[in-house]
Amino acid sequence: MTQQDRRRIAAGLAGALSYAEIARRLDRPTSTISREVGRNGGPGGYQPQQAQQATGRRARRGTPAPPRAAGPPGGATGEEIIEMAVGSGMPRMTARVHVDLLLSEHGRRTAAELTRRLKVSPASVSVATNYLVQHGYVRRERDPQRRRDIYVIDDEAWYHSIVISSRQTLAAVRASMAAAEAFGIDSPVGRRLARGGTFLERVVLDMTESADRWRALLK
C-alpha cells in the first residue's frame, strides 16, 4: 500500500466513510482497509505518515504488527455484516455488539465479556444491548447465582425483531391516519397521509403474515 493510498484512507475516515466505501474507492478488499486502520491507531487515530513509517519499520524487522485493540468481530466477514447493519440505520457500536453475539458459538455473552472482547466501555455495551433488546434482536436473561445479565441471540431473534418492528410501524400508521382525519380526508395533506398510512399498513400486515408462515424454518 502506497503513502497516497494511506492519505486517501485518512481522508475517507475524516469524511466518516465506511471501510467498505473506502475499500471500493481504492479498489482494495474491505479486510485490507480494516487491518490497515486497526494496526495503525484505529478510526480515531489513523495518521497516514505514521502508518507509512510503521510499515517500513515492521518490514525491516520482519515482524508482524503489534497487537492493538480488538478489530471487527469475525474479521472481514464480521466487518461486512457490521457495515450492512450500519447502512440500514443501526448505530455502529450496536452493530459490533450484535455481530459479536451473532457469530459467537453459543449465541450468548455477559456484558463483561462483550466489554472485554470489544475493548469498549461498559456504558457503550449497556447502550448497545438496550437497543438490541428493545428491537428484539437479543433477549436478556438473569443469572441469579452471579447476579449478572446474559444477552442471548437465539434462532427466533429475527422473527421477534420483525414483530416488534411491525408493531412500531403500525403505531406510526395509526398516527398518520389520525392526522389525515384531522386535516380532512379530502384535503391534499389528508389524502397524502391516508394513502401513505394505508400503504404501510398493508405492507406490514403482509410482512407479519409471512413471518408467521415461515417461522417454523427457525426451529
Side-chain angles (χ1 to χ4, degrees), residues 1-202:
M1 183 172 294
T2 67
Q3 189 164 356
Q4 179 62 26
D5 289 336
R6 292 187 165 93
R7 290 198 185 100
R8 294 177 66 187
I9 290 174
L13 293 173
L17 299 181
S18 67
Y19 288 161
E21 176 60 20
I22 295 173
R24 187 187 67 78
R25 294 187 179 192
L26 268 66
D27 194 23
R28 301 263 188 165
T30 302
S31 58
T32 298
I33 305 303
S34 63
R35 284 196 301 269
E36 167 69 16
V37 175
R39 66 167 55 130
N40 291 296
Y46 185 82
Q47 297 292 331
Q49 183 64 31
Q50 295 176 4
Q52 184 76 11
Q53 293 172 352
T55 300
R57 288 194 299 270
R58 288 194 293 268
R60 288 192 296 272
R61 290 198 306 263
T63 56
R68 274 195 43 79
T77 299
E79 176 64 27
E80 291 177 2
I81 300 175
I82 289 171
E83 293 301 332
M84 286 189 289
V86 171
S88 68
M90 182 179 286
R92 183 171 295 277
M93 177 51 63
T94 303
R96 292 187 67 204
V97 171
H98 186 220
V99 170
D100 193 67
L101 282 166
L102 184 66
L103 301 184
S104 64
E105 183 175 0
H106 301 292
R108 54 194 302 124
R109 298 200 195 281
T110 65
E113 288 172 333
L114 289 166
T115 298
R116 184 174 63 253
R117 286 179 53 79
L118 299 177
K119 291 181 170 54
V120 295
S121 69
S124 296
V125 169
S126 178
V127 171
T129 51
N130 284 339
Y131 178 102
L132 293 170
V133 170
Q134 290 171 4
H135 288 79
Y137 293 107
V138 304
R139 71 173 188 274
R140 182 186 287 110
E141 294 182 354
R142 188 68 175 170
D143 182 349
Q145 296 181 338
R146 303 184 65 178
R147 297 183 180 180
R148 63 180 183 176
D149 289 331
I150 302 173
Y151 298 96
V152 182
I153 182 167
D154 59 22
D155 291 339
E156 291 206 323
W158 298 115
Y159 172 80
H160 294 306
S161 66
I162 288 175
V163 170
I164 290 174
S165 175
S166 297
R167 290 172 182 166
Q168 294 170 341
T169 303
L170 286 175
V173 167
R174 289 192 291 271
S176 179
M177 298 303 287
E181 293 182 3
F183 278 97
I185 297 297
D186 293 332
S187 70
V189 175
R191 286 196 297 272
R192 185 183 311 126
L193 291 171
R195 289 170 181 170
T198 300
F199 169 80
L200 286 176
E201 182 180 38
R202 299 293 172 82

